[in-house]
Amino acid sequence: KQEVTQIPAALSVPEGENLVLNCSFTDSAIYNLQWFRQDPGKGLTSLLLIQSSQREQTSGRLNASLDKSSGRSTLYIAASQPGDSATYLCAVRGGGFKTIFGAGTRLFVKA
Amino acid sequence: EAGVTQSPTHLIKTRGQQATLRCSPISGHTSVYWYQQALGLGLQFLLWYDEGEERNRGNFPPRFSGRQFPNYSSELNVNALELEDSALYLCASSLGTGLGTYNEQFFGPGTRLTVL
């Protein structure tokens, strides 16, 4: 049974800092991994999708990497801004095409 | 291009009643997914529809059901509502799996269901 863990659960950083969010999964037989952000009480915004055959994806200040063999993905945020404050979720799509989400990392960027 | 839309935004019901939630996918998407986000429990996969068929379901009782219409919109029905069904219900859509593994999911704003 696939389990997805995100560390840390919460993070508070000053504006301008580079930071790394971690996601680990127990079953390496995945189709893809997707990172989302969620603002309080709202739906999810897709940030990056990494296919199982890829090692990383980049979009603006965001870079996500995937190491299937070790069951890990990281989301790197460069030069963080207060507008980046949100909960970041990783989701793994594996057996039966089910999508399993981590519990998320709550990020607060202080101005 | 319009994103995923859901209705209603909020829904208040009492225990034992039935709730119907609706979702319209992005144009061209044939897959629709339903998730439940209850307080303190994170996002749980509920149902997946593709080309009108139920492809998979999560670990939820049969009183959670749904369907997908020929225009690919979808409906989630929750029968015999219980207090613990109170949650944000999120719908997502993607290209169908028949087009390969590129199936990025795009989410709607959600329906907040409150059961009193």
Side-chain angles (χ1 to χ4, degrees), chain B residues 58-103:
Chain B
N59 200 19
F60 282 84
R63 57 190 186 82
F64 286 83
S65 66
R67 52 182 173 163
Q68 186 178 33
F69 299 99
N71 66 353
Y72 304 114
S73 67
S74 177
E75 206 171 78
L76 173 69
N77 294 295
V78 188
N79 293 320
L81 284 165
E82 299 178 3
L83 296 178
E84 52 264 36
D85 296 334
S86 294
L88 181 66
Y89 289 83
L90 292 165
C91 169
S93 75
S94 77
L95 294 171
T97 55
L99 294 171
T101 58
Y102 186 76
N103 48 11

Side-chain angles (χ1 to χ4, degrees), chain A residues 28-48:
Chain A
S28 62
I30 66 170
Y31 293 102
N32 60 44
L33 185 146
Q34 196 167 353
W35 283 93
F36 297 89
R37 70 173 277 168
Q38 185 176 30
D39 295 284
K42 304 284 171 103
L44 277 63
T45 300
S46 177
L47 298 173
L48 289 163

Side-chain angles (χ1 to χ4, degrees), chain A residues 80-100:
Chain A
S80 57
Q81 303 169 357
D84 295 331
S85 298
T87 296
Y88 289 79
L89 296 155
C90 75
V92 170
R93 192 149 194 197
F97 287 95
K98 280 187 182 180
T99 302
I100 308 299

Side-chain angles (χ1 to χ4, degrees), chain A:
Chain A
K1 181 189 162 192
Q2 180 73 272
E3 289 179 9
V4 180
T5 304
Q6 290 188 247
I7 294 172
L11 185 61
S12 181
V13 300
E15 183 177 6
E17 196 159 293
N18 301 325
L19 54 103
V20 174
L21 308 182
N22 297 291
C23 172
S24 61
F25 47 95
T26 55
D27 185 349
S28 62
I30 66 170
Y31 293 102
N32 60 44
L33 185 146
Q34 196 167 353
W35 283 93
F36 297 89
R37 70 173 277 168
Q38 185 176 30
D39 295 284
K42 304 284 171 103
L44 277 63
T45 300
S46 177
L47 298 173
L48 289 163
L49 171 77
I50 312 177
Q51 300 293 352
S52 62
S53 58
Q54 297 175 322
R55 297 284 298 198
E56 66 178 313
Q57 283 287 338
T58 298
S59 176
R61 294 183 295 109
L62 305 178
N63 175 276
S65 67
L66 175 64
D67 183 343
K68 258 185 25 171
S69 60
S70 67
R72 278 191 248 174
S73 176
T74 60
L75 179 67
Y76 175 82
I77 303 176
S80 57
Q81 303 169 357
D84 295 331
S85 298
T87 296
Y88 289 79
L89 296 155
C90 75
V92 170
R93 192 149 194 197
F97 287 95
K98 280 187 182 180
T99 302
I100 308 299
F101 279 81
T105 294
R106 271 198 332 274
L107 173 66
F108 179 63
V109 181
K110 296 171 284 190

